[in-house]
Amino acid sequence: MLVKDGLKILGVGSYIPPKVVTNDDLSKIVDTNDEWISTRTGIRQRHFVENERNQDMAIAAAKMALEDSGIDKNLVGACIVATICPDNVTPSVACSLQKELELPTDIPCFDINAACSAFMYGLSIARGLLMQSDKKYAIVVGTEVLSRILNMEDRGTCILFGDGAGAAVVELSDNKFYSVLGSKGEEDVIRCINKDDERRYVTMNGSDVFKFAVLTVPKVLKELSDKSGVTFDEIDAFVLHQANKRIIEAVAKKCKQDMSKFFINLDKYGNTSSASIPIALTEMKQNGLIKPGMKMLCVGFGAGLTWGGVYLEW
Ligand code: UT7
């Protein structure tokens, strides 16, 4: 029997912590204002955890994705969690998820770190693992408590990020699936390093990341279009990492595509790193924006500097 080598998303889910932090709220603690943040980024608010742990959000998002997919969880063959801020160095968030959801024990469960590109990496890894598995499905989660690693005195970073989790249940399929993954080995542009006796913070050269994204994302989209043989005009929806509305607008312009094909929800959640694309997919599905057979291009980019994109058919 030939193994199917495409990948299909069967169900999606998300968890957004209830606590909202508006731009005005931030302007009370750091020298910024709603006008600057919303015109430079498109972000109006973000959500921060209060008591939720990373794993609590991951579990909630994965439960919703399992329910949405309607599958038997005993047939899950891999559990992959993308995150840069796990609750513990070890055990992984994925193992906590496995325990809580009572997933099978004879399957790989692990976390990956490819920053904001990691959910895209996770989908590709899931496909590879399922091709060698006797089980049908995989769960891929992107989950971040970035508020834990923000320097609330640095207006260049603290206004950008938010917390949340998104998840997908996938299976091998005849639906076409192509991925483009990469990394530049760049250590300085965005970092969050361990320092003795100091809290860890994200630091970033924003304009370098901006330029990297505007240069790289269109290239990844073009590679995916070439691999799939599907032109940009034939793509129904572009779902890019939700970092900055101006980045998405610049990519749309370079690809000569109308902005209406690019989903945007960063105004509500800010940049949730690896969670941003699965949160976007969940919201699109909830809002009836995803139809069976739809052709989609998704691209993430971030620290590393990494990038990851997929062509998928719903
Ligand atoms: O997941 C990937 C993670 N990172 C990203 O995607 C970030 C990509 N980069 C960006 O989104 C943008 O570069 C930023 C939004 C971070 C910054 O926008 P920018 O247009 O590149 O602004 P800038 O850094 O060049 O700063 C312009 C000015 C500076 O003042 P001066 O030197 O011109 O007087 C900054 O000090 O804006 C000032 N500024 C702020 N002002 C008010 C920087 N942050 C703020 C702020 N509020 N929060």
Side-chain angles (χ1 to χ4, degrees):
M1 192 182 73
L2 277 179
V3 177
K4 293 175 179 174
D5 66 356
L7 193 80
K8 185 177 180 186
I9 295 184
L10 299 173
V12 284
S14 65
Y15 177 85
I16 310 293
K19 185 183 169 190
V20 174
V21 179
T22 64
N23 291 346
D24 285 338
D25 291 334
L26 289 180
S27 70
K28 290 176 193 134
I29 51 176
V30 69
D31 181 16
T32 190
N33 55 74
D34 177 52
E35 212 261 325
W36 193 94
I37 301 173
S38 52
T39 53
R40 296 282 178 135
T41 70
I43 298 166
R44 309 303 302 246
Q45 61 173 51
R46 71 287 295 139
H47 293 243
F48 282 175
V49 292
E50 285 182 287
N51 302 312
E52 299 96 327
R53 295 168 301 174
N54 188 329
Q55 60 177 272
D56 299 326
M57 299 198 302
I59 290 164
K63 275 187 180 163
M64 186 174 159
L66 275 172
E67 206 167 294
D68 187 43
S69 67
I71 63 145
D72 174 358
K73 67 183 180 185
N74 294 310
L75 299 180
V76 170
C79 173
I80 302 166
V81 173
T83 187
I84 58 167
C85 30
D87 299 306
N88 305 302
V89 174
T90 195
S92 65
V93 178
C95 287
S96 304
L97 192 63
Q98 176 190 28
K99 179 173 181 234
E100 181 68 23
L101 298 183
E102 297 176 328
L103 298 177
T105 51
D106 57 342
I107 64 167
C109 290
F110 55 94
D111 292 358
I112 56 169
N113 176 344
C116 309
S117 315
F119 185 77
M120 300 288 99
Y121 276 57
L123 290 180
S124 296
I125 296 167
R127 174 173 168 268
L129 288 172
L130 286 178
M131 288 177 89
Q132 313 163 52
S133 173
D134 56 0
K135 294 195 168 57
K136 283 187 76 168
Y137 309 111
I139 298 178
V140 184
V141 182
T143 178
E144 306 286 7
V145 273
L146 296 166
S147 59
R148 267 201 216 139
I149 52 168
L150 291 181
N151 177 357
M152 296 311 286
E153 290 174 5
D154 175 10
R155 66 179 184 172
T157 53
C158 74
I159 53 113
L160 295 173
F161 298 98
D163 299 336
V169 172
V170 297
E171 75 170 343
L172 293 179
S173 163
D174 289 328
N175 287 13
K176 286 199 276 177
F177 176 90
Y178 298 96
S179 68
V180 169
L181 307 175
S183 172
K184 230 177 160 175
E186 158 50 68
E187 293 184 323
D188 297 322
V189 175
I190 314 178
R191 60 198 312 200
C192 177
I193 56 170
N194 291 326
K195 278 192 203 161
D196 289 344
D197 304 327
E198 269 185 52
R199 231 194 105 182
R200 289 178 299 164
Y201 293 130
V202 173
T203 56
M204 181 178 73
N205 181 326
S207 65
D208 281 1
V209 182
F210 194 100
K211 283 180 218 147
F212 160 73
V214 170
L215 199 71
T216 307
V217 177
K219 277 190 200 158
V220 175
L221 290 170
K222 174 74 171 57
E223 272 185 65
L224 290 167
S225 165
D226 290 347
K227 276 188 171 189
S228 61
V230 178
T231 65
F232 289 159
D233 288 346
E234 292 167 329
I235 294 293
D236 299 298
F238 294 83
V239 186
L240 306 188
H241 172 44
Q242 303 287 306
N244 187 320
K245 189 168 181 229
R246 288 190 296 136
I247 292 176
I248 299 176
E249 285 167 346
V251 171
K253 197 170 168 197
K254 270 197 176 175
C255 295
K256 300 190 173 61
Q257 293 297 299
D258 197 89
M259 266 303 280
S260 61
K261 287 169 85 173
F262 289 74
F263 183 74
I264 291 193
N265 65 1
L266 58 85
D267 50 323
K268 290 184 283 189
Y269 310 122
N271 177 345
T272 56
S273 190
S274 68
S276 87
I277 291 176
I279 289 174
L281 294 174
T282 306
E283 198 167 318
M284 289 173 77
K285 192 165 181 195
Q286 284 171 334
N287 295 345
L289 298 174
I290 294 183
K291 306 266 177 330
M294 233 171 129
K295 297 179 172 69
M296 212 179 262
L297 288 176
C298 306
V299 181
F301 56 88
L305 292 164
T306 57
W307 57 91
V310 303
Y311 166 86
L312 53 89
E313 296 172 349
W314 209 272

